[in-house]
Amino acid sequence: MAELRFPPVRLPAEARAVREKVRAFLRDELEAGRFTPDVDSWGRFDPEFSRRAGRAGFIGMTWPKAYGGGEYSALSRFVVACEMLAAGAPCGAHWIADRQSGPQILRHGSELARRTLLPRIAAGECYFAIGMSEPNSGSDLASVRTRARREGDAWVIEGSKIWTSRAHQVHYLIALTRTGDPGPDRHQGLTQFIVDLKAPGVIIRPIHNLAGGHEFNEVFFDRVRVGDEWRIGEVGEGWRMVTGELAFERSGPDRFLSDYRLLTALIDHLGVEPGAEEVGAEEARAVGRLVAHLGALLSMSQAVAGLLAAGENPAVEAALVKDVGTRFEREIPEVARRFFSGPVRSGGADYFERALGRVMLHAPSYTLRGGTREILRGIIARGLGLR
Amino acid sequence: MAAMAETGSVLLDEAGRLFGDLFASAEARLAAERGEWPEAAWRRLEEQGFTLALVPEAKGGAGLRPAEVWPLLRLAGHYALPLPFAETVIAAALWARAGGEVPAGPLTLAPALPGETLRLDAAGRLSGRAHAVPWAGQAYIVASVTDARGKPVLALLPPQKEAGARRTLGGDPAPDLVLDGATPEALRPASASLSLPHGWLALGAHMRAEQLVGGMARALAYAIEHANTRVQFGRPIGKFQAVQHMIAEAAGELAAATAACDRAAPFFDEEEGVLDAAIAKARASEAAGKVAEVAHQVLGAMGFTREHPLHFTTRRLWSWRDEFGGEHHWHEMIGRRALAAGGEALWRLLADRPEGVMDEAGEAR
Ligand SMILES: Cc1cc2nc3c(=O)[nH]c(=O)nc-3n(C[C@H](O)[C@H](O)[C@H](O)COP(=O)(O)OP(=O)(O)OC[C@H]3O[C@@H](n4cnc5c(N)ncnc54)[C@H](O)[C@@H]3O)c2cc1C
């Protein structure tokens, strides 16, 4: 059977130094009142914060300096991502571009795309959305129908994408399109393109989520022209591009720290003032279990960051981080509500109650976005050698 | 997936071959579980020097670092050795590091459960009860005891042959130790971490956590092998999504437990290691129940027989998870620590690792 690898990694001196730097940055931000720690850190869109993070060198950290990067190791980037989420900082504006679109452009984009986009992403000024899902293609991503047809030295895109997070607020998306025959495994004939969301023919319609928020959208392409320089990878290589991208998308700390601030709020909610009565055993056990799970996840995710840093493609291990990580994220509100009396209501002053309410409403999305739990488990099973 | 250990290590390869060889037949295992001391197998372990892996070279041991030795215990768990191998590795190292002369033969640790105390009076006599002490009838016992001034001390006791015949679900002996004015063979000062409230138990917990990880990897390997070969409805049952998902979920539990143990790997009995050992045992004990459940579900009735070797592993998983504190015990300890620190301090509690020890672990790889 295939071997799963989570080799323990030690943080190199560089990553430890970067950690001190990002902690100092976050401390300054907090002290100046420039952000309020909250749950759903990487879902909160705050361009001002992203620009300051970019200026401080915390976006595009691993990219070459020529493209605005800092030439740091993947472990340093991992540390920064962890610290941002743990602080509950609003890093949603730049998150997707930093996590996956930028790296994708760096590795498979044209020189023009690299030169024009990467420095702006690293500066925290240019944001991306993911254009994979379509109305009839969710888990079965290879069935996408949005077409790109060659016309001279450009491509014309026709079709639509759905659930496109932040499409109404960001500058570009990377669209997975059909450019040729699917072939017997249906993975042929797909190509990715960078699409400017301001381009003629792009129409964005809001879709409100169950909590009433406007985060995702439907995006229509009505004969949208895209120059060939905005293609990612070779024509027909889109499937390989997407799967490579997903290892970055799935293994990071954002797959177990989405509601970290609810855990810290729970601890403060249960914690006692010095001299007061001791915390009950049930409370201690409930918190201790979550902390043990978090400790394990931190090591798992750091191990995958180490593998990515070494240039490997740990797709199965990444799927495991996301499956175990999102299961953990969904448990936090279920544990927290045991220690809150009555239903959670709007309009309260207590942060714990607000965070709990927000997380309860968002928790269903954790095990859907980025590939559903069921799809991940199929990937894991195949990786384990189930034939 | 040799216990998910780092393969390629000469030491582990050699140990894996030996461990696999020692109890190649089910009959040999069952004989051990009936109470026959497997002397020949034990001798081979001792002769190869594995039992003194963590004992300093100056004391006649192999002088390996903790990060090199924990995977060895993981491997012993993978092969479900019906011997106090892990106990001996830990007890011998403790005793030698405390300046004692390590006696020949197997060793073990007492107490093995939370909340139990053995007391040494001013005249040097030892009293108290320790329940379910592994191999207490066969092995020299390194005990953590409280002296007349309330200070922790290590005491060495000879095997308690009259200790009784109680065994764990795994089939390994675990009698109660009842001492009423016994005279230890020797006393040594305990290290600072053993004096911490959870220090002693954490060491045994870390040991069992490694064995659990090895055992879980074995159980999962049986399940995968069976899923690929057992045919129903005209195809291997591993083709059914329900079976795939069960196995994937178990793999996630195993991966988390493995990572939790790896966190603790740089430590032996250092104070900074107590929380990580607690996390390792809490995570591994919780995972063990799930992994055993899935393995049995996948193997169907065949896995419920004496003929199939799965039970040698799962019966031990069901016991090890409760020895040296089950997950509930450690959850409470970890939770109290987190609650005392407060929400804002939680992150550093988990993310900041002591650099010195991490350097050592880094080198060991
Ligand atoms: C908050 C949020 C943000 C998102 N943002 C984006 C974005 O920015 N860009 C983007 O492209 N997409 C985005 N998505 C879409 C996301 O990737 C899809 O929701 C996901 O891939 C599942 O597709 P679906 O919703 O169509 O569900 P379906 O694929 O229809 O699945 C429905 C159910 O059936 C199960 N199922 C489907 N196929 C199988 C199978 N073969 N075996 C077993 N079970 C199966 C699924 O697991 C699920 O439980 C977002 C989703 C959410 C919730």
Side-chain angles (χ1 to χ4, degrees):
Chain A
M1 80 192 255
E3 200 173 336
L4 294 175
R5 302 150 306 157
F6 291 95
V9 278
R10 164 171 81 102
L11 288 182
E14 177 201 278
R16 299 200 298 264
V18 164
R19 183 162 63 189
E20 293 318 310
K21 244 184 84 185
V22 69
R23 281 181 179 170
F25 167 78
L26 290 165
R27 206 181 310 118
D28 289 349
E29 287 282 300
L30 267 179
E31 278 167 12
R34 288 194 285 259
F35 79 86
T36 315
D38 203 354
V39 293
D40 195 23
S41 161
W42 61 281
R44 288 161 62 216
F45 201 89
D46 181 347
E48 289 304 320
F49 177 83
S50 290
R51 271 192 272 275
R52 291 192 299 273
R55 224 174 292 135
F58 297 126
I59 303 177
M61 293 184 65
T62 60
W63 312 343
K65 291 194 171 140
Y67 300 119
E71 298 184 2
Y72 288 100
S73 82
L75 284 166
S76 292
R77 185 193 169 268
F78 172 81
V79 161
V80 167
C82 282
E83 295 292 329
M84 293 262 184
L85 299 174
C91 32
H94 67 265
W95 198 259
I96 303 298
D98 177 59
R99 179 183 73 187
Q100 62 194 83
S101 322
Q104 197 73 341
I105 292 165
L106 178 65
R107 280 184 299 157
H108 307 293
S110 70
E111 190 54 29
L112 177 76
R114 286 187 213 157
R115 285 202 183 284
T116 39
L117 298 174
L118 294 179
R120 287 172 53 214
I121 294 176
E125 316 175 327
C126 175
Y127 316 129
F128 271 70
I130 302 166
M132 295 189 191
S133 307
E134 295 182 7
N136 291 312
S137 305
S139 299
D140 184 12
L141 188 58
S143 70
V144 291
R145 290 188 207 161
T146 294
R147 283 207 76 94
R149 255 181 273 271
R150 193 137 201 168
E151 275 186 17
D153 55 2
W155 297 80
V156 176
I157 301 180
E158 191 101 48
S160 69
K161 294 288 169 185
I162 198 169
W163 320 126
T164 323
S165 297
R166 305 291 174 186
H168 60 302
Q169 287 163 307
V170 305
H171 307 95
Y172 298 91
L173 65 66
I174 295 184
L176 180 67
T177 67
R178 187 146 280 299
T179 47
D181 274 350
D185 63 356
R186 303 186 309 139
H187 295 164
Q188 313 301 314
L190 294 167
T191 309
Q192 280 191 326
F193 293 96
I194 302 167
V195 180
D196 182 345
L197 290 167
K198 298 276 178 313
V202 174
I203 299 151
I204 299 169
R205 289 211 193 117
I207 305 178
H208 289 89
N209 64 26
L210 68 82
H214 174 200
E215 285 162 11
F216 50 32
N217 302 274
E218 195 160 12
V219 181
F220 300 90
F221 308 102
D222 179 14
R223 290 194 49 82
V224 175
R225 276 183 80 82
V226 175
D228 192 47
E229 327 73 84
W230 304 106
R231 173 165 46 81
I232 301 265
E234 297 304 316
V235 176
E237 284 282 281
W239 189 254
R240 206 167 57 80
M241 298 297 109
V242 168
T243 47
E245 191 177 331
L246 288 172
F248 286 91
E249 182 173 344
R250 288 177 175 155
S251 64
D254 38 348
R255 298 309 180 179
F256 56 91
L257 292 176
S258 299
D259 50 15
Y260 177 73
R261 300 304 299 193
L262 176 59
L263 176 58
T264 59
L266 170 65
I267 288 173
D268 292 337
H269 175 76
L270 294 176
V272 287
E273 300 300 321
E277 216 180 305
E278 251 214 25
V279 188
E282 195 197 334
E283 284 83 351
R285 279 190 204 124
V287 166
R289 176 164 176 273
L290 294 174
V291 171
H293 279 233
L294 178 56
L297 277 161
L298 206 52
S299 302
M300 271 174 87
S301 178
Q302 186 165 320
V304 177
L307 291 172
L308 288 169
E312 302 195 30
N313 181 12
V316 179
E317 286 82 356
L320 272 165
V321 171
K322 182 168 186 287
D323 184 26
V324 178
T326 53
R327 200 164 3 129
F328 165 74
E329 286 182 329
R330 296 204 55 169
E331 273 193 53
I332 294 177
E334 294 305 311
V335 171
R337 58 182 271 272
R338 302 212 309 252
F339 305 104
F340 186 80
S341 53
V344 168
R345 289 172 298 158
S346 61
D350 179 17
Y351 176 71
F352 177 59
E353 181 175 15
R354 273 191 287 129
L356 178 54
R358 186 172 164 83
V359 168
M360 272 203 265
L361 293 180
H362 282 80
S365 71
Y366 300 165
T367 43
L368 294 171
R369 62 184 183 187
T372 70
R373 171 167 61 204
E374 291 69 33
I375 293 305
L376 294 173
R377 289 194 180 163
I379 293 170
I380 295 163
R382 275 195 301 285
L384 288 167
L386 288 180
R387 295 182 290 265
Chain B
M1 191 165 65
M4 285 197 178
E6 289 128 83
T7 46
S9 142
V10 177
L11 175 79
L12 289 180
D13 288 350
E14 196 185 313
R17 271 195 301 278
L18 177 62
F19 295 172
D21 209 31
L22 287 180
F23 295 90
S25 79
E27 192 34 51
R29 289 177 180 281
L30 292 171
E33 291 188 16
R34 279 193 305 269
E36 288 172 29
W37 170 252
E39 179 63 25
W42 179 260
R43 277 248 189 77
R44 284 180 66 193
L45 275 178
E46 256 185 355
E47 280 161 11
Q48 303 273 326
F50 287 122
T51 53
L52 302 185
L54 255 177
V55 170
E57 278 176 294
K59 290 256 175 192
L64 299 179
R65 285 186 301 255
E68 296 170 295
V69 173
W70 293 116
L72 210 55
L73 305 194
R74 192 176 292 189
L75 206 55
H78 188 83
Y79 288 101
L81 295 184
L83 285 171
F85 170 68
E87 291 85 342
T88 302
V89 169
I90 302 299
L94 269 179
W95 191 250
R97 285 154 71 118
E101 286 305 317
V102 179
L107 280 82
T108 190
L109 304 157
L113 298 185
E116 300 197 325
T117 319
L118 300 171
R119 292 185 190 287
L120 192 69
D121 66 19
R125 285 182 309 251
L126 200 52
S127 302
R129 276 169 180 269
H131 292 90
V133 176
W135 302 87
Q138 292 80 10
Y140 258 88
I141 301 162
V142 174
S144 169
V145 309
T146 309
D147 74 7
R149 288 165 306 154
K151 286 229 159 60
V153 177
L154 292 183
L156 185 70
L157 291 165
Q160 307 289 295
K161 299 217 163 58
E162 68 297 346
R166 296 191 67 176
R167 287 173 178 277
T168 65
L169 298 179
D172 297 323
D176 294 339
L177 192 63
V178 183
L179 300 172
D180 187 12
T183 311
E185 283 195 7
L187 296 170
R188 305 296 312 169
S191 70
S193 84
L194 298 183
S195 321
L196 294 174
H198 298 276
W200 171 262
L201 205 66
L203 199 56
H206 188 175
M207 164 181 87
R208 284 292 187 256
E210 288 289 352
Q211 291 173 288
L212 282 165
V213 164
M216 283 190 268
R218 184 79 185 259
L220 190 65
Y222 283 132
I224 291 167
E225 190 200 344
H226 191 75
N228 278 331
T229 49
R230 169 69 172 169
V231 174
Q232 286 293 285
F233 301 97
R235 45 188 169 153
I237 56 168
K239 290 266 183 222
F240 296 110
Q241 211 176 44
V243 173
Q244 292 181 354
H245 287 196
M246 275 197 281
I247 289 176
E249 191 180 356
E253 290 295 291
L254 169 59
T258 306
C261 278
D262 288 342
R263 277 175 74 81
F267 304 108
F268 180 61
D269 68 341
E270 293 80 6
E271 290 178 44
E272 311 95 294
V274 173
L275 180 64
D276 283 343
I279 288 175
K281 183 61 161 66
R283 196 64 192 87
S285 284
E286 186 183 336
K290 186 77 206 175
V291 173
E293 180 194 326
V294 166
H296 279 288
Q297 195 63 21
V298 171
L299 270 94
M302 180 47 79
F304 193 61
T305 64
R306 192 129 257 229
E307 276 102 277
H308 194 285
L310 176 63
H311 68 86
F312 288 116
T313 293
T314 50
R315 285 187 293 116
R316 283 185 172 78
L317 293 181
W318 290 320
S319 186
W320 288 338
R321 63 181 174 159
D322 288 327
E323 296 176 41
F324 295 93
E327 65 267 37
H328 302 295
H329 170 78
W330 293 109
H331 287 159
E332 186 175 338
M333 175 258 171
I334 298 162
R336 288 197 186 285
R337 182 100 183 251
L339 286 162
E344 206 50 55
L346 175 65
W347 182 251
R348 280 167 180 255
L349 204 58
L350 291 176
D352 290 4
R353 328 303 316 292
E355 310 304 351
V357 219
M358 291 310 286
D359 286 348
E360 194 195 312
E363 266 173 39
R365 287 196 54 233

